[in-house]
Amino acid sequence: MGALFLASASPRRRELLAQIGVPFSLISVSVDETPSPTESPEAYVERVARDKALAGLASLGDRDGCVLGADTSVVLDQHLLGKPVDRADGLAMLAALSGRTHRVMTAVALASRTACEVRVVISEVSFRTIEQAEAERYWDSGEPADKAGGYAIQGWGAVFVSQLHGSYSAVVGLPLCETAQLIDGFGLPRWTKGSS
């Protein structure tokens, strides 16, 4: 089946794959991540993850291998919350999430020359109430600036999370249970020493 390539610039996804002993190489891809007006959030993350995997596969040229792509979105009231465009946007996201439950949807796709399989994992994350001054301090830390929904559950943003129903690793960016199932199904190695 060849080597595994990860089509992601996310350091968190690299760490998660390494956590389960999966050897891989990184490749860079560029896909259109603009949501369609008629696309559901679940269909959106599934499409983007698949597009990343297939774009990565195309970039391999004649090389043999499989490509893993993933996408994570924060969804509140059926609205996608992407990365904040600026401080005001980031603070508005935290205010909207404060004291409420939102969904985090992560899709993972694995593509070979003969198949492309996708899994979508939906987790529910509940936030306690966040005071404005605390939200401002969090924004000023720099952590939320490049995170979907304006927070990082694996970082300082964890203090806002009062409950999590679902997959922690999926909220971080890669559902490890489902990813391992895909990797096993494609006959790729995991639990190897000295993985990437």
Side-chain angles (χ1 to χ4, degrees), residues 28 38 46 75 82 87 106 111 121 156 185:
S28 178
T38 59
E46 184 174 342
V75 182
R87 186 177 198 270
T106 297
V121 176
W156 292 354

Side-chain angles (χ1 to χ4, degrees), residues 38-50 71 105 107 120:
T38 59
E39 203 170 29
S40 71
E42 187 172 348
Y44 168 75
V45 295
E46 184 174 342
R47 172 180 62 83
V48 173
R50 181 184 289 110
D71 189 66
M105 298 184 182
V120 178

Side-chain angles (χ1 to χ4, degrees), residues 62-97:
D62 294 334
R63 289 181 292 172
D64 189 27
C66 297
V67 178
L68 188 74
D71 189 66
T72 301
S73 288
V74 173
V75 182
L76 183 67
D77 299 329
Q78 284 299 106
H79 296 292
L80 291 168
L81 300 183
K83 296 175 182 177
V85 296
D86 56 23
R87 186 177 198 270
D89 190 34
L91 292 175
M93 285 185 189
L94 290 172
L97 296 171

Side-chain angles (χ1 to χ4, degrees), residues 51-67:
D51 286 355
K52 288 178 181 177
L54 293 175
L57 194 64
S59 76
L60 292 183
D62 294 334
R63 289 181 292 172
D64 189 27
C66 297
V67 178

Side-chain angles (χ1 to χ4, degrees), residues 77-145:
D77 299 329
Q78 284 299 106
H79 296 292
L80 291 168
L81 300 183
K83 296 175 182 177
V85 296
D86 56 23
R87 186 177 198 270
D89 190 34
L91 292 175
M93 285 185 189
L94 290 172
L97 296 171
S98 174
R100 298 193 58 198
T101 297
H102 60 275
R103 291 180 297 159
V104 177
M105 298 184 182
T106 297
V108 58
L110 188 57
S112 70
R113 298 292 178 197
T114 57
C116 182
E117 298 286 337
V118 186
R119 303 283 186 275
V120 178
V121 176
I122 301 174
S123 304
E124 290 190 349
V125 181
S126 298
F127 271 20
R128 63 163 169 79
T129 300
I130 306 170
E131 300 297 335
Q132 177 71 18
E134 186 181 24
E136 291 175 359
R137 287 200 318 276
Y138 181 54
W139 176 264
D140 292 341
S141 75
E143 181 178 271

Side-chain angles (χ1 to χ4, degrees), residues 4 6 8-24 26 68-72 104 106-108 121 123 147 152-155 164 167-181 183 189-192 195-196:
L4 177 67
L6 174 63
S8 176
S10 166
R12 290 159 296 284
R13 291 193 179 114
R14 292 198 298 266
E15 291 164 3
L16 286 166
L17 262 188
Q19 179 183 324
I20 58 170
V22 175
F24 64 93
L26 291 173
L68 188 74
D71 189 66
T72 301
V104 177
T106 297
V108 58
V121 176
S123 304
K147 307 293 189 299
I153 194 171
Q154 74 279 11
L164 167 64
S167 166
Y168 173 81
S169 64
V171 176
V172 176
L174 192 68
L176 290 181
C177 177
E178 291 76 9
T179 299
Q181 289 170 348
I183 286 169
R190 64 177 170 84
W191 287 356
T192 63
S195 60
S196 298

Side-chain angles (χ1 to χ4, degrees), residues 19-37:
Q19 179 183 324
I20 58 170
V22 175
F24 64 93
S25 299
L26 291 173
I27 53 172
S28 178
V29 298
S30 179
V31 301
D32 182 6
E33 297 189 34
T34 308
S36 161

